[in-house]
Amino acid sequence: MRGHRSDQGGMFSYVSLEDRVPTRHPLRLIRRVVDAVLAAMDGDFAGLYAATGRPSIPPEQVLKALLLQAFYTVRPERQLMEQLDYNLLFRWFVGLGIDDEVWHPTVFSKNRDRLLDGDIAQRFLAAVTGHAKVRGLLSDEHFSVDGTLIEAWASVKSFRPKDGDDEPPGPGRNGERDFHGERRSNETHASTTDPDAKLYRKGPGKEAKLAHMGHLLMENRSGLVVAAKLTPATGRAEREAAIAMIEAVTGRRRITLGADKGCDAGGFVADLRALKVTPHVAQNTRGRRSRIDGRTTRHPSYSASQKARKRIEEAFGWVKVVAGQRKTKFRGSDRVGWAFTLAAAAYNLIRLPKLLAT
């Protein structure tokens, strides 16, 4: 018998949000982990708010909404609020009821900026890697490190002399400016839009862009990120960030560290060995002598590290393409670094369902 369509909707719904989400949906496991992590961070949140005044958006819900923004590649926060309004899965994950009012995008952005003060993104990443379900997936002996460019939210036209001795761009919203033939460097020029961004070229034949540099430290067993850091884009930033992340995460125990050819430098290798780190760095023999010799390369663990370290590109690919960090929407190293670190934590969370299933 053919069914007939009814144009009159029901006035009430007797199915809860909990029942509408499939029992095997990946977000169920992620939400349990996130809820446990946020409960452990309650003291960190308490220090950011006054005891009296108008209640704000709960910081736990702000972070959950930002995780959804990374999971589902929702770039503008106005669209994120629109999704929260009609997407029942988003409401369930954040903790909003069916009839709860969604926040205004401006109010949400202001509450998000409040979390910058307490370095919440770094603490959230550390709490995720320290969770009981995640800790058993991590290696405490073998790590890899690498860096990538995060394109700044600034035009090359904004890169002007610091002393102001130049012609401003033409009138209009996107005025023309002829800078061809002009000698520009980070010592004499700076972006008027994002002063923390640096003009950097990825390699020979590549165009120079205003960018920041993001760094990740990955453990080699499951390929999860254990540390993230943002620095100005310079030639030494990758090596300096690697040393800082190793000291902060691993302490002084004996470990191995895989890295690409850009880290095959005498000073960097010596610094690693001083920290009791075995440098499993790819050999750079182009026109020079590598700092990594047979004492390191003869061991099978060196070949294993060289294979495992390439998995860090998977993390960079997800963070930049899915989580929207290829070109940041923030200005200033603090805000860009906060978003980059939170995206790295989101990468760990999105991989948990498959890792724990195996």
Side-chain angles (χ1 to χ4, degrees):
M1 177 180 177
R2 177 181 175 182
H4 295 280
R5 181 172 57 87
S6 175
D7 294 331
Q8 184 175 358
M11 183 176 297
F12 302 101
S13 174
Y14 299 97
V15 182
S16 67
L17 284 178
E18 188 68 27
D19 295 334
R20 292 183 182 275
V21 180
T23 56
R24 301 184 64 180
H25 197 286
L27 282 184
R28 282 193 175 274
L29 172 62
I30 294 175
R31 194 179 77 156
R32 288 197 295 270
V33 173
V34 171
D35 286 342
V37 168
L38 294 178
M41 295 177 60
D42 184 72
D44 297 325
F45 295 134
L48 302 177
Y49 296 87
T52 60
R54 178 190 297 180
S56 67
I57 302 175
E60 296 86 353
Q61 290 184 325
V62 174
L63 277 174
K64 284 184 176 181
L66 292 174
L67 289 175
L68 287 174
Q69 189 177 23
F71 293 159
Y72 292 95
T73 321
V74 183
R75 187 167 178 84
E77 291 177 352
R78 187 171 296 274
Q79 185 180 356
L80 177 63
M81 296 301 103
E82 181 182 336
Q83 287 270 8
L84 278 173
D85 195 21
Y86 63 75
N87 192 321
L88 297 183
L89 179 66
F90 279 30
R91 281 180 171 267
W92 168 83
F93 186 83
V94 171
L96 291 174
I98 294 180
D99 298 325
D100 290 343
E101 185 178 359
V102 177
W103 315 292
H104 192 276
T106 303
V107 176
F108 181 83
S109 298
K110 290 183 178 179
N111 280 265
R112 178 210 62 212
D113 291 344
R114 183 188 295 270
L115 300 180
L116 292 171
D117 298 335
D119 201 14
I120 295 299
Q122 289 287 354
R123 298 185 185 184
F124 182 74
L125 175 59
V128 168
T129 56
H131 188 273
K133 286 184 177 294
V134 183
R135 199 182 308 118
L137 301 172
L138 304 180
S139 169
D140 59 357
E141 295 179 346
H142 307 291
F143 297 86
S144 298
V145 69
D146 204 354
T148 189
L149 290 182
I150 306 296
E151 190 174 345
W153 191 253
S155 169
V156 179
K157 294 179 182 180
S158 69
F159 196 64
R160 301 174 58 187
K162 296 178 181 179
D163 56 9
D165 186 19
D166 70 330
E167 293 293 332
R173 180 175 178 270
N174 192 17
E176 295 183 359
R177 181 174 181 272
D178 184 12
F179 50 80
H180 294 285
E182 178 183 343
R183 297 182 64 86
R184 302 186 298 171
S185 69
N186 290 314
E187 287 73 23
T188 59
H189 290 60
S191 171
T192 57
T193 305
D194 185 358
D196 293 336
K198 302 295 183 183
L199 194 66
Y200 192 84
R201 186 172 62 178
K202 184 72 173 178
K206 300 288 186 178
E207 70 277 15
K209 295 181 178 180
L210 287 171
H212 304 269
M213 187 168 283
H215 312 269
L216 296 180
L217 179 67
M218 178 194 76
E219 56 79 34
N220 290 353
R221 176 182 296 169
S222 302
L224 296 177
V225 176
V226 296
K229 187 177 182 63
L230 189 101
T231 65
T234 64
R236 297 181 55 87
E238 189 171 338
R239 299 190 288 269
E240 293 172 353
I243 296 297
M245 290 189 293
I246 285 291
E247 290 179 330
V249 173
T250 63
R252 291 279 180 169
R253 66 178 181 271
R254 176 68 68 180
I255 64 170
T256 68
L257 181 70
D260 58 20
K261 294 181 179 180
C263 293
D264 187 5
F268 178 70
V269 172
D271 290 342
L272 289 182
R273 286 177 172 150
L275 294 173
K276 298 183 180 180
V277 177
T278 303
H280 285 176
V281 178
Q283 290 180 299
N284 184 7
T285 57
R286 182 178 298 179
R288 58 193 290 273
R289 181 181 177 183
S290 174
R291 280 19 178 218
I292 306 299
D293 53 28
R295 293 175 299 173
T296 302
T297 59
R298 63 189 175 91
H299 295 286
S301 59
Y302 177 81
S303 298
S305 290
Q306 288 302 300
K307 294 178 181 179
R309 71 173 179 83
K310 298 176 182 178
R311 297 182 62 189
I312 200 170
E313 299 298 341
E314 299 175 8
F316 279 130
W318 192 92
V319 166
K320 295 177 71 173
V321 177
V322 179
Q325 298 301 308
R326 182 189 65 82
K327 184 180 180 68
T328 182
K329 61 181 180 179
F330 298 111
R331 296 170 182 169
S333 58
D334 291 340
R335 293 162 63 90
V336 177
W338 194 94
F340 177 74
T341 304
L342 187 65
Y347 172 76
N348 287 347
L349 290 170
I350 205 66
R351 296 197 57 221
L352 284 184
K354 287 188 176 181
L355 288 174
L356 293 176
T358 57

